[in-house]
């Protein structure tokens, strides 16, 4: 039976629409009988329908961080020029997810939720854009982390539809190291006896596991230098424990364990080479989009060199390193020097004819 | 009641002596009524007793890895020239440790074991060297990771006794990031219901926790590039899981949970600035030893820059970066290019008049 979680409501995520795209058959078998995508849009689709930008979301993130930090008339993602569609990933807690699967989806609730892959999200998003908005071509696809995975998947799977791509802090083929890191996140949750094989009745029962999960994020999500420089002090936190207790722990403990696990499983297996029998070069060779690859300098698990290796395999691409001592979680845009860099790169990319 | 663990025997650790240094009062309160140190020695102490080298051990490590990889007539740590004393740290499982505390130590067995600090080990080692071996001056103190913490503690606490120091892959003041990383290791163990508050009757009861602990080591202990390059394939392992199942997991699951926790607590709090009211520069300013600081290039949690910052505060010191894609666990000396670098630096240091 699905469960209520007040975190996944407009109170915490602002306005968004819930759009059904119907039945979604999944790559790994099974299906979502009624796949509902949470969608936040900004700006207006022009008549020629060529000003659309698609944003996909990262692990634990939703459209709301994009609304808060990335989108606005002062940003490259400017609603005055573009029709920006942010689609929350399956398992995000807003789109169809383990904890909210009910009605037609009652058969896949909680631990019964099927495995979803990055490709499933992209297929779902393509259908949404085509059937619901009539969009056949995207001026830009972008996203951070798992959003970068989806961006690559779009550019490889639908090269004719993606004119520009900007994967931020994420790779086209997930690495073994990332797989292992994600496994520790998963195990932090599932090792909590309150998890009960996924059949808890409230995320509160898994608080210890979610807190451990948050602390592992503390180790890998930022950089060693973030902690060394006590960057959190500038955010108003007295010490490391106050920062964890005031930010990372409440951030994650509000969330649904099964939803996080759904996304984690998906993250672990992101790989565009599934389209080419394991040949990454061949897969990335399919990309025709003008592509800016944007790693974050201090990222501990999507390191710059992993991006560099993939960027070298993309014809029409450039590597643009974003400097941020926050590391991967620089994506939260806490550092005032983060967004100006993102904006500069995205603006230049958007201004490039494609 | 103490428990048996066949791992902590000469079968797995070769020959060593058990030397009682008597009662050890601890910095954080409490005491070890009969502190026994496991000691492996190599070579002969000369008549002037000035050819002694002290090696201290890292988290989970003992003298045996030093015997296997670091010490020998082909190495800088040459028993033909030096009297090399490797002392297993308190909590190592060979010296007095939670799992083996019995007899006079019966009151501090298992969960009753008191907190031990790096300084306690160094005080114990100094007493051992002076009372048992008559050694008052050390040609070199060295060690990796927690052994580096002990090396710094020696050089700051007993500057007149340490002529040369070579901390490898470890810092004088543990960082917040390291504290947090270590906390995730601790929590991987203590979250296992079989841990039973430290009162399990066999480490087998904590296998799940020890395995999770091993996998977190997999994330942080090596480098992202180690996994990318599939270095484990060269070690005969087919894939990541085979490497974990064949190496890291059995390595850690053989060990005692309370012993690991004893070391982890100690590691988290290593800080020579305890001698100087928190002033790290003042503490490192006390060092008179000729010091080579040896970080490992790809270390994810004792990164090079943390070493660089401390080395800059030590008068008679040099930074010598050891290149190894294995990262921190390069200390296992699996890479054939590791020991030649260590030997070159240690030899040069030992050949420097001091």
């Amino acid at each position: 039976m699905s469960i209520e979680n007040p975190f996944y409501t407009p109170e915490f995520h602002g306005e968004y629409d819930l759009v059904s795209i119907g039945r979604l058959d999944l790559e790994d078998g099974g299906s979502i009988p009624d796949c509902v995508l949470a969608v936040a849009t900004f700006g207006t689709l022009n008549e020629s329908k060529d000003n659309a930008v698609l944003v996909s979301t990262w692990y634990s993130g939703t459209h709301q961080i994009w609304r808060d930090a990335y989108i606005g008339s002062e940003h490259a993602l400017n609603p005055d020029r573009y029709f920006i569609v942010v689609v929350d990933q399956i398992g995000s807690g807003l789109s169809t997810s383990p904890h909210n699967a009910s009605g037609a989806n009652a058969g896949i609730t909680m631990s019964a939720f099927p495995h979803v892959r990055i490709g499933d999200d992209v297929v779902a998003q393509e259908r949404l854009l085509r059937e619901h908005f009539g969009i056949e071509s995207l001026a830009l696809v972008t996203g951070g982390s798992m959003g970068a995975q989806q961006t690559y998947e779009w550019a490889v799977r639908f090269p004719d539809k993606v004119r520009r791509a900007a994967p931020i802090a994420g790779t086209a083929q997930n690495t073994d190291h990332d797989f292992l890191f994600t496994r520790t996140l998963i195990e932090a949750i599932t090792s909590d006896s309150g998890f009960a094989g996924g059949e808890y009745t409230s995320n509160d029962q898994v608080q210890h596991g979610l807190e451990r999960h948050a602390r592992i994020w503390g180790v890998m999500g930022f950089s060693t230098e973030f902690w060394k420089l006590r960057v959190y002090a500038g955010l108003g936190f007295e010490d490391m424990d106050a920062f964890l207790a005031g930010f990372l722990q409440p951030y994650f403990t509000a969330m649904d364990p099964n939803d996080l696990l759904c996304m984690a499983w998906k993250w672990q297996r992101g790989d565009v080479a599934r389209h080419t029998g394991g040949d990454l070069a061949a897969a990335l060779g399919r990309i025709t989009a003008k592509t800016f690859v944007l790693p974050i300098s201090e990222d501990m698990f999507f390191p710059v060199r992993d991006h560099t290796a993939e960027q070298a395999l993309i014809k029409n691409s450039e590597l643009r390193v974003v400097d941020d001592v926050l590391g991967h979680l620089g994506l939260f845009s806490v550092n005032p020097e983060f967004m100006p860099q993102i904006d500069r790169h995205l603006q230049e990319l958007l201004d490039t004819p494609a």
Side-chain angles (χ1 to χ4, degrees), chain A residues 254-273:
Chain A
M255 297 181 187
D256 182 78
N258 281 321
D259 293 359
L260 290 172
L261 294 173
C262 171
M263 290 185 280
W265 192 94
K266 192 196 298 181
W267 166 9
Q268 288 182 302
R269 290 161 183 82
D271 183 6
V272 295

Side-chain angles (χ1 to χ4, degrees), chain A residues 38-42 45 52-56 63 71 82-88 125 128-129 133 135 138 140 142:
Chain A
V39 186
T41 66
F42 306 84
L45 187 61
V53 170
L54 174 69
V55 176
S56 50
H63 61 268
I71 295 169
Y82 297 101
F83 179 59
I84 303 158
V85 182
V86 190
V87 183
D88 296 310
Q125 290 161 12
L128 170 84
L129 292 179
F133 294 106
I135 295 170
L138 289 160
L140 172 69
T142 189

Side-chain angles (χ1 to χ4, degrees), chain A residues 6 16-17 26-27 46 67 73 89 93 96 121 143 161 168 171 175 179 182 213 225 231 234 246 258 305 307 324:
Chain A
Y16 54 90
D17 296 316
L26 301 168
E27 285 187 30
N46 63 14
R67 174 186 273 138
S73 54
Q89 65 172 296
T96 296
D121 273 281
K161 294 197 164 197
I168 306 169
T171 57
T175 63
F179 189 98
T182 313
H213 165 279
E225 203 66 1
V231 175
N258 281 321
R305 56 187 166 197
H307 296 76
D324 197 335

Side-chain angles (χ1 to χ4, degrees), chain A residues 143-149 152 166-175 178 280 284 291-314 317-322 327-328 331:
Chain A
S145 200
M146 287 186 72
Q149 291 183 313
Y152 278 117
I168 306 169
T171 57
Q173 184 174 62
N174 201 45
T175 63
D178 246 39
L280 181 63
L284 294 175
T291 303
F292 279 9
V293 172
L294 295 103
I296 298 175
S297 57
E298 292 271 0
D299 199 317
M300 289 186 73
F301 58 94
F302 283 121
V304 172
R305 56 187 166 197
D306 288 357
H307 296 76
T308 307
E310 292 185 343
Q311 181 265 321
L313 300 173
I314 303 170
S317 70
E318 294 179 35
L319 184 77
R320 300 290 184 104
V321 178
V322 177
H328 192 75
L331 288 170

